[in-house]
Amino acid sequence: MTAPLLQARGLVQEYATARSFFGKTSTVRAVDGIDLTVRQGEILGIVGESGSGKSTLGRMLLGLETPAGGEVLYQGAPMPAPRTDAWRKLRAQMQLIFQDPLAALDRRMTIAAQIAEPLEIHGIAKGAEAAERLAALMARVGLRRDQADRYPHELSGGQRQRVVIARALATNPGFLVCDEPVSALDVSIQAQVVNLLRDLQEQEGLTMVFISHDLKVVRNICDRVAVMYLGRVVEEAPSDLLFADPRHPYTRALVSSIPKPGQGLHGRIILQGEPPNPAARPAGCAFHPRCAFADRGCAARVPELQHDGRRQIACLKPDAAAATAA
Amino acid sequence: MTFVSIRDLRVAFDGVQVLHGVDLDIRQGEAVGLVGESGCGKSVTWLAALGLLPGKAKVSGSVRLDGQELVGAPRPAIEKVRGKRIAMIFQDPSSSLNPVQRVGKQIMESLRLHRGLKGRDARAEAIRLLDMVGIPSAATRVDLYPHEFSGGQCQRIMIAMALAGEPDLLIADEPTTALDATIQAQILDLLGTIRRETGMAMVFISHDLGAVSVVCDRAVVMYAGRIVEANNIRSLFSAPRHPYTAGLFAAIPDIDADRGRLVPIHGTVPDPKNLPTGCAFSPRCPRATAFCQTDRPHLRPQSGGGDVACFQPVAAPKAFPALRQEALA
């Protein structure tokens, strides 16, 4: 097993929400105690529904948000305090790729200027060297030389996402967090960008955290997948294992919700109830109100993430769920 | 029996043609999927048919509903069709609902317009509809505002409102795209149940081929403002004939196959202002010949079933079912 590049220990994030007219506030726990290891060179997938805390987790892994509790270790060392020199240096090594490339790019700058900007900011290259590096970056992500002087609105969605990726690669990072990087792209373009990310992992050994709600893409690109529900990891396993044999009742419903041609509406697990609301977290296991196997114990006790062979699972009744699956 | 018949429907915005002559029949009670990437004209087709496009759009061709022409029809005539015979739901339910009006009142407005129900009758019917689309304790929640419901519930309310006119056809434009996976499954299930119970026809517009395969009987694939292939779900998914359809399927990761590299379609969707001559897909097509770049294929019925617009279609599986039967015998 390769060494961990990044480790999260007991990560917690809370946000204050204005609750009443009189200014009373309440806190919402977006992330509620997460332990996670990202190994050198792997792609770790994070899946879960909106409000499960996956984007918040991604931002904390990058040190863009300071956790309310717990810590993140990068290459064994704790994350430096924000806005310090050490923090800025680390920024060059860790990059974020967003869902909406148009929002991530400056509309008034040519794409060449945007891709080259980090080189200048981090003092990596200047003049002819910078121009050379720019050309290499553009070629790396599949942009043509003649597109260098274009503006973002002159490019297609897929090309814009390539610009964002090229800019993220400019500083030669070791770690990327991709937050729904292909969700806004059309199917035929999605595959181009997924393959590009894959090449970066295989050829340059980039380590990635890939956050997405598209389970098919996650299964394809990720080595390991962690499933989040209301700020906690409920199951984590190698990609093949997780999708072939999901164990947690929530993971099972999630995998079953992927529409398969020819199957029709039969045999799908339809979860009752609403997506989770972090402001009104149920007691005990957060999933128990929607779970078909929950009993009184599940409403009282929060299940811990426990090892079970190659997977980790947080469920008080995994055997009941497994029995109906067979 | 054909309920809606679209012939040579064309749409242009500011002189740019975006729909290049669409022919499509929807029979009573059937569920048809309309798939394709953004800008292919799948939504514009129905917005044009129902007179919902802005004034600058130039619409020509014919859309007949039970023999009645809708294109160019006077506004009152179209308003009798919209919501009553054909209802439409959209991707983002929260922007389709009025945020400052109670949901019950919004459904009752629809009931008054389309079925003449008022007062207590309308309220009882609104509660029945909310109950039917799976809103728990509908009787007490009928007086809540849209923000008091989740995204999935808002889509259920939109569906209830669409059902208020007892339409013969529901146009669902990306109804599950904005929803989470488990809620998506709930809404697809609900649409299936409603169709079984009411016999209503449905057009399901989506870029999600999986969702289309789950709720539709047949599907129509569009590219750059034209239909390129149409067939029943089983044939289309097991043996796509148009290289674009085949490319779309190959580009989607298969949840049961190896985790190999994906097979993308090269290049990008053409700019409608600058369509290639010949077949619009030819610059991206692995099967294109010189002929494809100069001449444009028309949608033609195939001997094995389905319609395809291609000079070089992917070969149909040769008498595959017959072989299988021999093997079994």
Side-chain angles (χ1 to χ4, degrees):
Chain A
M1 202 176 282
T2 44
L5 179 76
L6 191 119
Q7 273 177 297
R9 289 188 192 151
L11 274 190
V12 172
Q13 186 61 296
E14 290 176 335
Y15 298 113
T17 54
R19 189 171 207 170
S20 75
F21 192 64
F22 303 101
K24 266 191 191 167
T25 57
S26 67
T27 50
V28 170
R29 275 204 162 197
V31 171
D32 183 29
I34 285 191
D35 296 306
L36 208 61
T37 301
V38 189
R39 297 183 200 119
Q40 182 79 50
E42 79 169 345
I43 303 185
L44 172 69
I46 310 253
V47 300
E49 294 176 280
S50 43
S52 61
K54 44 192 202 304
S55 292
T56 304
L57 173 66
R59 293 176 59 81
M60 283 196 288
L61 292 180
L62 287 172
L64 296 175
E65 268 184 39
T66 312
E71 61 173 353
V72 177
L73 303 177
Y74 185 73
Q75 292 178 326
M79 201 63 78
R83 323 252 164 244
T84 57
D85 280 350
W87 180 83
R88 270 192 202 96
K89 218 174 223 170
L90 204 59
R91 293 265 56 70
Q93 288 178 47
M94 313 165 94
Q95 296 287 342
L96 176 61
I97 292 170
F98 305 88
Q99 170 171 358
D100 182 0
L102 200 55
L105 295 170
D106 189 326
R107 287 155 197 261
R108 297 160 305 171
M109 277 169 83
T110 63
I111 63 164
Q114 302 199 47
I115 297 171
E117 200 178 22
L119 297 174
E120 200 182 305
I121 290 174
H122 291 283
I124 294 169
K126 267 189 201 163
E129 201 191 337
E132 203 175 291
R133 177 117 181 90
L134 169 71
L137 282 167
M138 286 185 63
R140 185 73 197 84
V141 299
L143 289 168
R144 291 193 314 268
R145 244 158 210 273
D146 62 284
Q147 290 168 327
D149 296 327
R150 303 257 188 106
Y151 289 89
H153 73 268
E154 296 176 292
L155 300 176
S156 69
Q159 288 166 339
R160 283 181 209 137
Q161 196 59 293
R162 287 169 198 270
V163 175
V164 172
I165 295 171
R167 187 178 61 182
L169 295 176
T171 57
N172 246 331
F175 177 59
L176 284 185
V177 170
C178 309
D179 194 352
E180 303 271 9
V182 296
S183 304
L185 304 177
D186 273 322
V187 175
S188 71
I189 309 301
Q190 229 176 50
Q192 297 174 4
V193 175
V194 167
N195 280 350
L196 170 62
L197 292 173
R198 217 183 162 121
D199 288 343
L200 291 171
Q201 178 211 16
E202 285 167 7
Q203 294 161 16
E204 290 166 33
L206 261 177
T207 308
M208 284 181 226
V209 164
F210 190 94
I211 299 169
S212 179
H213 68 273
D214 188 332
L215 300 164
K216 289 180 186 169
V217 171
V218 165
R219 178 182 175 276
N220 182 270
I221 195 175
C222 298
D223 302 298
R224 264 186 324 131
V225 177
V227 181
M228 285 185 70
Y229 194 84
L230 266 187
R232 296 178 77 98
V233 173
V234 295
E235 187 166 1
E236 192 204 302
S239 188
D240 289 320
L241 181 66
L242 188 94
F243 285 97
D245 181 23
R247 286 287 169 79
H248 193 285
Y250 176 62
T251 318
R252 290 184 51 219
L254 212 53
V255 171
S256 159
S257 74
I258 306 169
K260 278 190 200 168
Q263 186 195 3
L265 285 164
H266 306 289
R268 309 206 322 150
I269 302 170
I270 308 291
L271 277 186
Q272 299 306 311
E274 288 304 304
N277 176 4
R281 170 190 300 275
C285 169
F287 183 60
H288 86 265
R290 299 173 81 191
C291 181
F293 311 100
D295 62 13
R296 213 182 288 163
C298 298
R301 202 149 63 90
V302 180
E304 292 296 320
L305 200 59
Q306 284 176 332
H307 282 276
D308 175 11
R310 290 196 297 147
R311 87 172 79 220
Q312 293 188 70
I313 178 169
C315 180
L316 296 171
K317 314 204 69 175
D319 299 331
T324 54
Chain B
M1 212 186 99
T2 303
F3 176 61
V4 177
S5 178
I6 299 178
R7 288 291 172 274
D8 198 32
L9 187 66
R10 288 162 192 273
V11 176
F13 292 106
D14 298 327
V16 179
Q17 187 105 8
V18 292
L19 212 59
H20 299 261
V22 163
D23 295 339
L24 183 63
D25 286 334
I26 307 295
R27 290 185 287 274
Q28 227 129 40
E30 74 169 342
V32 181
L34 215 52
V35 300
E37 299 176 282
S38 41
C40 72
K42 52 193 195 300
S43 299
V44 166
T45 301
W46 290 98
L47 294 173
L50 294 177
L52 290 171
L53 288 175
K56 67 171 182 176
K58 257 190 79 191
V59 180
S60 67
S62 153
V63 177
R64 283 174 177 275
L65 180 148
D66 275 347
Q68 181 198 353
E69 179 61 55
L70 296 184
V71 173
R75 217 181 136 133
I78 289 194
E79 274 172 359
K80 273 193 186 135
V81 169
R82 263 197 320 240
K84 173 71 190 138
R85 313 278 325 259
I86 305 178
M88 194 158 179
I89 55 173
F90 299 93
Q91 173 171 347
D92 183 5
S94 54
S95 65
S96 303
L97 289 166
N98 184 342
V100 296
Q101 214 175 59
R102 299 172 198 278
V103 297
K105 201 171 168 206
Q106 299 186 49
I107 298 173
M108 283 188 262
E109 184 187 1
S110 200
L111 288 167
R112 181 176 57 79
L113 279 173
H114 301 304
R115 279 159 65 190
L117 289 179
K118 279 185 205 143
R120 203 175 296 165
D121 292 346
R123 190 179 164 84
E125 179 65 5
I127 292 170
R128 190 190 71 85
L129 285 167
L130 285 175
D131 195 48
M132 181 176 170
V133 298
I135 298 287
S137 35
T140 56
R141 301 180 76 189
V142 65
D143 290 324
L144 297 183
Y145 291 93
H147 75 268
E148 293 173 277
F149 294 88
S150 68
Q153 284 179 331
C154 282
Q155 193 57 285
R156 288 174 191 269
I157 293 166
M158 281 308 300
I159 293 171
M161 204 182 294
L163 295 177
E166 298 180 320
D168 300 300
L169 172 62
L170 176 70
I171 314 284
D173 190 354
E174 305 266 8
T176 59
T177 307
L179 304 175
D180 280 318
T182 61
I183 308 303
Q184 219 171 67
Q186 290 177 356
I187 297 292
L188 292 180
D189 195 51
L190 172 67
L191 289 172
T193 310
I194 289 171
R195 255 181 23 84
R196 265 200 311 280
E197 285 173 3
T198 62
M200 169 184 78
M202 178 167 74
V203 170
F204 189 87
I205 301 172
S206 180
H207 67 278
D208 184 344
L209 293 161
V212 166
S213 79
V214 161
V215 291
C216 297
D217 308 315
R218 62 189 182 99
V220 172
V221 183
M222 292 186 70
Y223 187 79
R226 287 192 175 89
I227 293 174
V228 295
E229 182 163 10
N231 211 338
N232 64 61
I233 291 288
R234 186 184 291 252
S235 307
L236 189 76
F237 279 71
S238 61
R241 301 290 314 281
H242 196 286
Y244 175 63
T245 318
L248 273 186
F249 286 128
I252 302 171
D254 185 341
I255 203 75
D256 293 318
D258 284 346
R259 291 173 42 220
R261 276 180 79 81
L262 298 179
V263 187
I265 302 176
H266 293 288
T268 52
V269 177
D271 178 358
K273 273 183 238 165
N274 219 340
L275 277 190
T277 53
C279 170
F281 186 60
S282 62
R284 304 177 73 190
C285 181
R287 302 176 66 86
T289 61
F291 188 63
C292 299
Q293 284 155 19
T294 54
D295 285 62
R296 197 166 49 71
H298 293 280
L299 195 64
R300 295 261 178 266
Q302 304 292 302
S303 55
D307 301 320
V308 180
C310 182
F311 295 123
Q312 303 286 336
V314 180
K318 275 185 198 141
F320 180 60
L323 276 177
R324 225 217 215 125
Q325 271 172 2
E326 273 169 37
L328 284 173

